[in-house]
């Protein structure tokens, strides 16, 4: 299959150097779809005026992207969060967002996890290999 190179620009810790870049090899459309599904879910699950925070870092050839919101995943969905047709409280939800996101992550030799609580909100973590893999 054809692989595309996506470059993720991050604010650098050293303000004088601009941005750091992480190279991620994968199917561009699929990676974009995965991230859009996860970010859309976070925005929809946030209370009005709630912040959605996205962070990205690279360590040991792994890209770790986190999406945090103060909303809580309902108990009824926690055990089936990545299952097909898992949805709660959405008028037009199909239950395919997290399911397809996990499939896309796995197709790129990665994975997605989540943690959710009343005290901490919800944190979704995407882990993908970065750079060229041998």
């Amino acid at each position: 299959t054809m692989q595309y190179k996506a470059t993720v620009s991050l604010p650098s810790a050293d303000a004088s150097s601009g941005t750091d870049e992480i190279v991620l090899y994968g199917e561009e459309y699929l990676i974009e779809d995965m991230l859009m599904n996860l970010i859309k879910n976070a925005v929809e699950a946030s209370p009005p005026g709630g912040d959605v925070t996205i962070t990205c870092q690279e360590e040991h050839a792994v890209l770790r992207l986190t999406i945090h919101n103060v909303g809580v995943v309902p108990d009824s969905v926690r055990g089936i969060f990545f299952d097909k047709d898992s949805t709660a409280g959405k008028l037009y939800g199909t239950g395919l967002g997290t399911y397809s996101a996990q499939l896309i992550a796995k197709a790129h030799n990665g994975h997605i996890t989540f943690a959710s609580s009343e005290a901490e909100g919800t944190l979704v973590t995407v882990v993908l290999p970065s750079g060229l893999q041998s």
Side-chain angles (χ1 to χ4, degrees):
T1 65
M2 185 69 146
Q3 289 195 339
Y4 299 92
K5 174 181 159 185
T7 303
V8 179
S9 294
L10 306 171
S12 176
D14 176 10
S16 65
S17 67
T19 60
D20 290 332
E21 291 184 345
I22 296 172
V23 176
L24 176 66
Y25 289 90
E27 297 290 340
E28 181 179 8
Y29 172 77
L30 293 176
I31 296 292
E32 179 181 335
D33 186 57
M34 174 188 70
L35 295 175
M36 291 304 296
N37 276 322
L38 296 174
I39 293 167
K40 179 178 182 265
N41 282 351
V43 169
E44 290 176 348
S46 293
D51 291 331
V52 173
T53 307
I54 302 167
T55 62
C56 187
Q57 65 187 63
E58 183 182 38
E59 51 190 47
H60 309 293
V62 171
L63 174 71
R64 183 177 311 280
L65 186 128
T66 62
I67 304 166
H68 177 265
N69 71 76
V70 295
V72 178
V73 176
D75 287 338
S76 63
V77 177
R78 290 185 192 183
I80 58 168
F81 190 71
F82 294 110
D83 290 359
K84 193 176 192 179
D85 303 323
S86 66
T87 188
K90 291 184 183 179
L91 184 58
Y92 299 107
T94 62
L96 294 175
T98 56
Y99 172 74
S100 65
Q102 185 72 280
L103 288 177
I104 292 167
K106 287 181 178 180
H108 289 84
N109 296 316
H111 64 276
I112 306 172
T113 58
F114 83 100
S116 188
S117 72
E118 290 287 339
E120 300 293 326
T122 300
L123 182 70
V124 173
T125 303
V126 179
V127 176
L128 297 169
S130 63
L132 287 171
Q133 302 298 307
S134 45

